[in-house]
Amino acid sequence: MEPKSIIHLDMDAFYAAVEVLDEPELKGKPVIVGGNHPRGVVSTCSYEARKFGVHSAMPSVTAARLCPQAVFRPVRMGRYKEMSDRIFDIFRRFTPLVEPLSLDEAFLDVTASIRLFGHPPQIAADIKRLVRSETGLTVSAGVAPSKLVAKIASDLHKPDGLTVVPPDRVREFLDPLPIGRLWGVGKVSQRALAVLGVETIGDLHRLPPDLLRRKFGESGVSLHRLAQGLDDRPVEPTRDAKSIGAEETYLEDIRSLEPARRELLALTLRAARRLRRHGFVCRTVTLKVKYHDFKQITRAETLGRPTDDTRRLYAAVVALLAKTDVGRRPVRLLGVSFSGLGLPDENRQPSLFDEEEKSGKLRELDRALDRISDKYGSRAVIPATLLEDDS
Ligand code: TTP
Ligand code: MG
């Protein structure tokens, strides 16, 4: 079979680049997009700000300390969504096989586009040129025979990069890279692999697959395949997303309430982050629980008004938890999902309802978070820290 041609595209410093576009005086300056208040978090920042060590998901106070001259701008989701639509229109001129990963990131399968539009590296260069001339923004591209390699490639020469990995160069390309670049290899797996002396992707694929199977089961085997660049997942164009969520099956059953809450906080953070990265708010929150006997239940709550706020979403999850047997029956899987997706209404005036929420529900949530942090350490309650560990 002919190898596929996949392009991964990822806008450079997306929200910050849009702010600079709309306010050209900001060009060349360290720009941070995010909440500039004591509990604010950095959504993203310009490459000038990154030189000071500022990055996404960092508390804004830390960012301001690292880079006191930075200019803060609030998140304007509606505007980013508008630019995202224009960028995706450009992508779709080259193939209908466009799979969005977030507002600023997509996979394209251009295998069948070659006769019409030329070779994939040419297509990627054309897309970059059109994005720049039609929107004024820059995008980095990776061209490769698989999603895995295309995504790693697009990140390698950011910003404004174009990295091409031909089919016969995949191994050569992957081998020297640190294993953290592989999908699904988070900090925990990195530590486990370091014990085996594995630091690069090359180290990993040189290990005998049997050893990996013994140590890590089936996931060890698929890791070994990934390390060779073997990834045949197809590009899946949208179907409009109906829900966004996160779930996890636990190796050991969860038997009491507090660890369940902690897991649910981590799942809520992960799912809420995805929600925001797609530019959505949601109306309905669903909690899924699978007990040790495989009996599965879901509990759902419809919110007074749509939100993407982690604290409100987590409050709904905690309320739903009370309608389950978690804590009384062992649990093997927990899941959180958000549906009734829509775009935020940015013109909405703050209402009395908000005030009520601030005083009542959210205070209760703070206490819940405090209890968790008493038991598990402050790490559990700093969203920024957990968000960084998004493996
Ligand atoms: P990214 O593509 O991860 O980051 P980026 O485009 O700002 O920078 P680059 O790709 O050049 O490294 O995310 C796209 C947008 O999603 C980003 O501009 C802001 C938003 N975002 C958050 O709101 N929170 C986050 O933690 C991250 C990672 C991104
Ligand atoms: Mg980006």
Side-chain angles (χ1 to χ4, degrees):
M1 212 178 67
E2 276 291 293
K4 281 190 287 191
S5 294
I6 311 291
I7 302 178
H8 180 259
L9 294 145
D10 187 327
M11 301 297 294
D12 302 318
F14 184 48
Y15 297 2
V18 174
E19 295 305 329
V20 174
L21 188 70
D22 290 351
E23 205 180 326
E25 312 81 272
L26 295 180
K27 202 175 160 74
K29 295 192 178 146
V31 176
I32 294 176
V33 177
N36 190 15
H37 52 85
R39 310 192 68 128
V41 168
V42 174
S43 286
T44 192
C45 61
S46 65
Y47 278 78
E48 288 82 358
R50 291 181 199 196
K51 285 185 205 139
F52 294 85
V54 180
H55 59 76
S56 291
M58 171 182 275
S60 297
V61 286
T62 311
R65 184 157 39 77
L66 290 172
C67 184
Q69 68 272 47
V71 184
F72 274 84
R73 288 292 176 265
V75 174
R76 294 185 299 150
M77 212 39 126
R79 176 69 176 133
Y80 311 143
K81 175 77 180 150
E82 195 176 289
M83 292 309 279
S84 171
D85 288 346
R86 286 169 56 187
I87 294 152
F88 276 80
D89 282 345
I90 297 173
F91 297 169
R92 291 199 177 87
R93 289 179 208 165
F94 294 86
T95 171
L97 297 178
V98 174
E99 177 179 335
L101 297 176
S102 70
L103 279 186
D104 89 319
E105 191 184 342
F107 284 116
L108 277 59
D109 183 336
V110 296
T111 314
S113 312
I114 294 173
R115 259 193 306 158
L116 271 176
F117 298 107
H119 287 294
Q122 186 58 52
I123 295 177
D126 285 344
I127 291 174
K128 284 171 60 69
R129 189 174 41 76
L130 288 168
V131 168
R132 188 191 273 275
S133 66
E134 293 184 22
T135 70
L137 298 171
T138 62
V139 61
S140 292
V143 185
S146 67
K147 281 179 158 183
L148 170 81
V149 179
K151 187 166 161 89
I152 294 173
S154 74
D155 198 45
L156 217 56
H157 297 113
K158 259 180 171 296
D160 203 16
L162 169 57
T163 307
V164 179
V165 186
D168 57 350
R169 296 276 178 79
V170 167
R171 282 216 182 176
E172 188 181 321
F173 170 77
L174 289 178
D175 274 1
L177 299 176
I179 42 166
R181 292 255 172 191
L182 279 184
W183 256 341
V185 181
K187 303 220 167 71
V188 177
S189 316
Q190 274 177 55
R191 277 194 292 273
L193 287 165
V195 173
L196 300 176
V198 173
E199 273 171 17
T200 64
I201 297 177
D203 294 339
L204 184 58
H205 98 234
R206 281 187 290 268
L207 282 188
D210 273 352
L211 173 71
L212 287 166
R213 187 195 300 277
R214 254 184 290 125
K215 291 263 178 208
F216 307 109
E218 279 315 301
S219 42
V221 179
S222 52
L223 209 55
H224 193 254
R225 283 177 52 80
L226 288 180
Q228 300 164 73
L230 297 173
D231 167 33
D232 52 14
R233 285 167 302 174
V235 170
E236 299 184 70
T238 37
R239 320 141 295 155
D240 273 334
K242 293 260 187 311
S243 73
I244 287 178
E247 62 176 50
E248 193 153 335
T249 302
Y250 301 100
L251 295 175
E252 286 171 6
D253 290 344
I254 294 179
R255 291 170 184 279
S256 54
L257 215 45
E258 287 305 309
R261 285 189 186 218
R262 181 174 184 269
E263 288 303 323
L264 287 169
L265 174 61
L267 292 170
T268 304
L269 288 165
R270 217 194 290 166
R273 181 180 181 205
R274 271 184 212 151
L275 187 71
R276 287 190 294 267
R277 291 191 67 180
H278 284 268
F280 289 131
V281 289
C282 76
R283 187 172 276 286
T284 302
V285 176
T286 302
L287 169 65
K288 176 163 135 188
V289 178
K290 198 187 272 180
Y291 296 106
H292 69 304
D293 58 3
F294 287 85
K295 186 168 177 288
Q296 184 177 306
I297 58 147
T298 59
R299 296 285 178 267
E301 181 181 326
T302 297
L303 305 168
R305 67 184 167 71
T307 189
D308 64 358
D309 181 272
T310 305
R311 294 162 59 99
R312 292 187 60 208
L313 295 166
Y314 182 60
V317 170
V318 169
L320 290 168
L321 189 62
K323 300 180 181 173
T324 70
D325 290 334
V326 174
R328 290 186 294 277
R329 289 168 70 184
V331 167
R332 54 176 284 122
L333 173 148
L334 290 171
V336 170
S337 69
F338 308 135
S339 55
L341 305 180
L343 292 181
D345 174 6
E346 288 181 4
N347 303 319
R348 199 184 53 81
Q349 296 296 315
S351 67
L352 201 62
F353 185 66
D354 294 344
E355 289 309 310
E356 267 172 30
E357 261 201 340
K358 264 183 220 140
S359 59
K361 244 183 175 174
L362 289 182
R363 213 178 316 119
E364 191 182 302
L365 170 61
D366 274 336
R367 282 201 297 273
L369 290 172
D370 290 343
R371 278 197 299 275
I372 295 168
S373 83
D374 286 343
K375 196 148 183 187
Y376 295 99
S378 57
R379 230 186 97 74
V381 293
I382 302 171
T385 315
L386 270 172
L387 282 165
E388 277 181 66
D389 227 342
D390 194 35
S391 51

